[in-house]
Amino acid sequence: MKYQTRTADADSFRGLRYLHGLSYSNVAMLTLFLYLYLLAPYFDLRVMVLHGGMLATAFLLMRHFRLAFKVLALESVLMVFIVLCLFAIYNLVVVAIYSVEFTTAFQTYLIQVCIYIMLGLVLAMSLMQKALDMDQVITLIFKLVTFVVFVNALIIVIEYHVPAFRAFVESMLYLPENSNINYLTREYRLRGIASGGAANLSLFHGMVLVIIQALYIKHKIGVVYTLVASVTIFTSLLFIGRTGILIGFIGIVIFHALNLMMARNKLSLRRFFLYISLAAIIVVAPPVFAIFFPDNVLAYSISFLYEGVEGLREEGTTRAVANMFEIPNKWGKLLFGVGAHWGDFTLQGSVDAGYMRMLTALGIPLALAFYCFYAFLAKYLFNLTHYKSVWIVIMIIMFIAEIKEPFIFKGYSARLVWMMIGMGICYASCSPFLSDQRQDQMQPEEGGRASHHET
């Protein structure tokens, strides 16, 4: 035999190759797809602009067009799309009633969500045909997403230290005329090879820091890669935005608290080493960063975190976000919304807060219904995987981030989450492993080395 392994290694790259027929070229193509789909860079070809996300979407759907028709025939998929259509129709009715300005922004977001779900369904179906179960698919996706973000973070760090490389990267990317950040000239605002930076990219990088914790605890990645990737991604956040630093810290704390409660193997040398490493990074980061980066970068990015509550108060973002939540005293608008997905009930302007935008688009009852529907869809994946604690944290992160912007609808993190929801729906609806997964889901989450069904 060319390949001998324990069951625990069945979702390694060698195991995927020899046991499931997933070649290295297949993994490379999947990695490229995830990079283009998630980071969605706009390539400036001078004569035209090429959207990486659209290119990746078209490639996957055209390559697996038969599977696309197959998943559309699933009753659960049709019901999901029908519910999303009902939200869109209601919003159009409210827009027509108020008729201040006709807008289809909410419908555009829902169409994008449907595409994200569809990609997850097709991708899951294609991997299911390779006899991969849900946990193997999640492990593979998490590994590749971590690698994608690690590469982008590495590009950002190199861009900062090598201006010529930064100029080369930005020469390939399109910068919209209305962009509020010029990534070529702004001293410490970078994006790597992505469509944009700031809070959107920062949130995604911070979320991946949590995913790395889960992969390491479950023996899916080694200690060297864990440390190098974590430090590189954390360093890149200095030049992207503060959101990811705060979200990453909160997410890691919540993840380890949940994982300790849900894992059978609570005490291990692997966990102890990880906790010591995290504590060391938190303590050592400021003086080390002070050696390599100027004070203005650190003052903007991380210094406020070490000043406690006073630092958060003086940072300004909390106050700005709080000012976005202006609730009118007209109950009609609160109950039914005003149609426009602007966040401003007066329809005189717009605000960034995601929850306010949902209130103006749908009103309180249907906004709550949409978020409950979002959580309900997340249960498809939750019920079929042993990555329960990290999936809970990802959903918590998305609901926290929605306070600042409508990240549940748009951006890098939204694309990943909706795609994974599509995967969960697919495996819950037609997986040949369904009976085994339902039997396994009653077991507590495994924190140590496990079989590929107990990852």
Side-chain angles (χ1 to χ4, degrees):
M1 292 180 61
K2 290 184 177 180
Y3 182 75
Q4 293 180 347
T5 180
R6 294 185 301 272
T7 309
D9 298 322
D11 55 2
S12 67
F13 290 127
R14 292 181 69 243
L16 293 175
R17 179 185 179 187
Y18 289 108
L19 299 180
H20 300 280
L22 200 66
S23 66
Y24 293 140
S25 61
N26 295 143
V27 174
M29 291 299 295
L30 181 55
T31 305
L32 180 60
F33 162 77
L34 289 173
Y35 197 111
L36 294 176
Y37 164 67
L38 293 173
L39 297 181
Y42 290 80
F43 295 103
D44 189 354
L45 304 182
R46 303 299 182 264
V47 295
M48 63 177 292
V49 176
L50 182 63
H51 191 304
M54 291 184 179
L55 179 65
T57 299
F59 170 78
L60 185 71
L61 294 180
M62 290 177 63
R63 184 181 182 186
H64 301 289
F65 69 93
R66 290 187 178 87
L67 296 183
F69 287 108
K70 187 175 181 179
V71 296
L72 283 176
L74 297 175
E75 181 180 351
S76 56
V77 175
L78 291 177
M79 290 303 299
V80 169
F81 288 161
I82 288 173
V83 172
L84 292 175
C85 285
L86 291 177
F87 282 112
I89 292 171
Y90 174 83
N91 177 259
L92 279 178
V93 171
V94 178
V95 169
I97 292 174
Y98 275 89
S99 65
V100 175
E101 179 180 336
F102 183 76
T103 173
T104 58
F106 186 75
Q107 286 72 31
T108 301
Y109 282 134
L110 288 184
I111 291 173
Q112 291 175 350
V113 165
C114 291
I115 294 174
Y116 302 156
I117 294 175
M118 188 67 183
L119 290 175
L121 290 163
V122 172
L123 187 57
M125 184 72 76
S126 66
L127 294 174
M128 191 187 300
Q129 292 183 342
K130 298 286 188 178
L132 272 70
D133 66 18
M134 185 79 257
D135 277 333
Q136 286 178 294
V137 170
I138 295 178
T139 299
L140 177 61
I141 295 300
F142 276 173
K143 281 184 176 181
L144 297 185
V145 169
T146 297
F147 177 74
V148 163
V149 172
F150 171 54
V151 170
N152 197 60
L154 188 60
I155 291 172
I156 289 173
V157 174
I158 296 175
E159 278 185 300
Y160 178 79
H161 289 287
V162 185
F165 180 70
R166 178 180 185 175
F168 170 73
V169 171
E170 287 299 324
S171 69
M172 297 189 302
L173 302 177
Y174 173 72
L175 183 68
E177 294 182 359
N178 61 349
S179 175
N180 60 349
I181 299 178
N182 188 330
Y183 295 99
L184 181 60
T185 59
R186 187 76 172 265
E187 181 182 2
Y188 51 89
R189 278 294 164 266
L190 300 168
R191 56 175 168 169
I193 304 179
S195 57
N200 201 330
L201 185 62
S202 179
L203 171 66
F204 188 44
H205 278 223
M207 179 183 292
V208 169
L209 287 176
V210 182
I211 293 175
I212 290 176
Q213 308 292 306
L215 290 174
Y216 174 75
I217 283 181
K218 295 175 181 298
H219 296 259
K220 305 306 178 185
I221 55 177
V223 61
V224 175
Y225 181 71
T226 298
L227 293 178
V228 172
S230 298
V231 171
T232 304
I233 294 171
F234 182 75
T235 303
S236 72
L237 289 171
L238 299 178
F239 312 108
I240 303 174
R242 297 164 290 194
T243 302
I245 297 176
L246 190 59
I247 286 295
F249 177 78
I250 294 174
I252 289 173
V253 171
I254 297 175
F255 165 74
H256 285 296
L258 284 174
N259 191 259
L260 280 172
M261 288 189 294
M262 301 172 71
R264 286 178 289 177
N265 184 16
K266 298 181 183 299
L267 299 177
S268 68
L269 183 61
R270 197 175 186 87
R271 286 181 183 275
F272 180 75
F273 176 79
L274 182 59
Y275 298 155
I276 293 297
S277 299
L278 289 173
I281 290 174
I282 293 174
V283 173
V284 173
V288 172
F289 284 157
I291 297 174
F292 294 100
F293 306 113
D295 292 339
N296 58 342
V297 173
L298 301 180
Y300 182 84
S301 300
I302 63 171
S303 294
F304 71 95
L305 290 175
Y306 292 88
E307 297 173 5
V309 177
E310 187 62 28
L312 290 173
R313 186 182 298 115
E314 294 180 359
E315 185 267 339
T317 301
T318 304
R319 188 183 309 109
V321 171
N323 291 335
M324 297 179 188
F325 288 82
E326 294 185 5
I327 306 298
N329 54 10
K330 296 183 178 180
W331 282 100
K333 290 184 177 181
L334 283 173
L335 290 175
F336 303 106
V338 293
H341 191 250
W342 294 347
D344 181 12
F345 280 95
T346 66
L347 299 177
Q348 301 298 313
S350 63
V351 298
D352 292 334
Y355 289 117
M356 285 300 298
R357 290 196 173 200
M358 285 295 289
L359 289 180
T360 57
L362 299 176
I364 291 178
L366 281 184
L368 289 174
F370 182 87
Y371 289 126
C372 289
F373 182 63
Y374 179 63
F376 169 76
L377 293 180
K379 283 190 64 179
Y380 276 104
L381 188 144
F382 178 84
N383 288 337
L384 297 177
T385 181
H386 284 81
Y387 279 96
K388 296 184 186 299
S389 55
V390 72
W391 185 237
I392 291 173
V393 173
I394 287 175
M395 296 307 297
I396 291 174
I397 286 174
M398 295 304 293
F399 278 109
I400 293 176
E402 188 75 357
I403 298 173
K404 192 175 189 295
E405 292 184 34
F407 287 127
I408 284 178
F409 272 141
K410 68 172 188 176
Y412 314 112
S413 302
R415 284 192 278 272
L416 174 62
V417 171
W418 285 109
M419 182 187 74
M420 295 188 67
I421 285 175
M423 292 178 174
I425 295 173
C426 183
Y427 270 85
S429 302
C430 58
S431 172
F433 306 100
L434 191 57
S435 59
D436 293 336
Q437 289 168 325
R438 284 176 173 170
Q439 183 178 359
D440 288 344
Q441 74 180 1
M442 301 304 295
Q443 302 174 11
E445 179 172 311
E446 177 62 67
R449 186 177 296 278
S451 72
H452 71 281
H453 286 294
E454 294 179 340
T455 55

